[in-house]
Amino acid sequence: MTKKQFEKILNTLAKSFFQGLLIIGPFALTVWIIWYIVSSIDNIIPSLSEQFYPGITFLIVICSTTLIGYVGSKFILGRVIVDSFDYLLEHTPGIKFIYTSLKDVMTSFVGDKKKFNQPVLIKTSNDPDVWRIGFLTQSDLSSVGFPNYVSVYLPHSYAVSGWVVFVLANNIVILENVSAAQAMKFAVSGGVAGFHSDDNVFKAPE
C-alpha cells in the first residue's frame, strides 16, 4: 500500500466519522434532553416512579397541566378560579415581582398574548448597510416620551438571551412570508438555519 493510498483511506474514514457525528449527534442529543427532562420531573416524586414505572410522574404533570389549561380557558368557574389565584399572586408583596416577571416572559412566547410574533429587520449601520433580525414588541412608545419609536427584541445567536432597543419606526423592515418560528430559528442559529426560500422575504424600505 502506497502512502497516497493510505492517506486516501484515512481521509475517507475521517469524512465518514464526521458524517456519522452529523447523523447521530442531533438524534442522541435530542433523546438525552428528553430523557433528562422526564427523569428530572420524575425525581419530584421518586417513590411514585419506583412503585409504578419510569415516566409516570412526568405523564401526570403533563396531563394535569393540560387539564388545568383546558378547564381554565373553557369553563367560567375554572376561569374565575384562575383569575382569582392570578390576582392574589399579583398583589402579594414580594411574591408579585417574581410571579409577574415569570408570567410576562412565558406569555411572550406562548399563549394568546405572545409578543414575539412579528419578525423584523432593524438597521444598525448606514455605511455599509447592516441589518439585524429581531421581533417587534411595542409599536408605539409615545407614552414614555419616544414618539415615532418602536421597541425591538434582538435575540442572541446560540444563547437563550437577547436585548431590547428603542429605534425609529422608519429604521425597521417588516419581514414578509417569514413566520416567527423561522425568524427565531434563523437568529438563534446564527443564520445557519436559513429561511429555505429563494424569494425576497422582506419589503425594501421606501
Side-chain angles (χ1 to χ4, degrees), residues 106-180:
M106 294 188 70
T107 54
S108 295
F109 289 95
V110 297
D112 297 331
K113 299 179 181 180
K114 56 185 177 182
K115 300 294 184 181
F116 300 139
N117 56 5
Q118 181 59 75
V120 299
L121 291 179
I122 173 174
K123 181 181 283 189
T124 58
S125 175
N126 288 318
D127 188 18
D129 280 0
V130 177
W131 297 80
R132 286 195 61 179
I133 191 168
F135 295 87
L136 184 67
T137 54
Q138 297 291 333
S139 58
D140 184 7
L141 296 173
S142 301
S143 60
V144 291
F146 284 85
N148 302 320
Y149 275 73
V150 297
S151 67
V152 177
Y153 171 73
L154 302 174
H156 291 151
S157 298
Y158 299 102
V160 188
S161 60
W163 45 299
V164 179
V165 296
F166 283 16
V167 60
L168 283 168
N170 57 10
N171 280 331
I172 70 168
V173 172
I174 303 297
L175 285 169
E176 298 290 343
N177 303 321
V178 175
S179 68

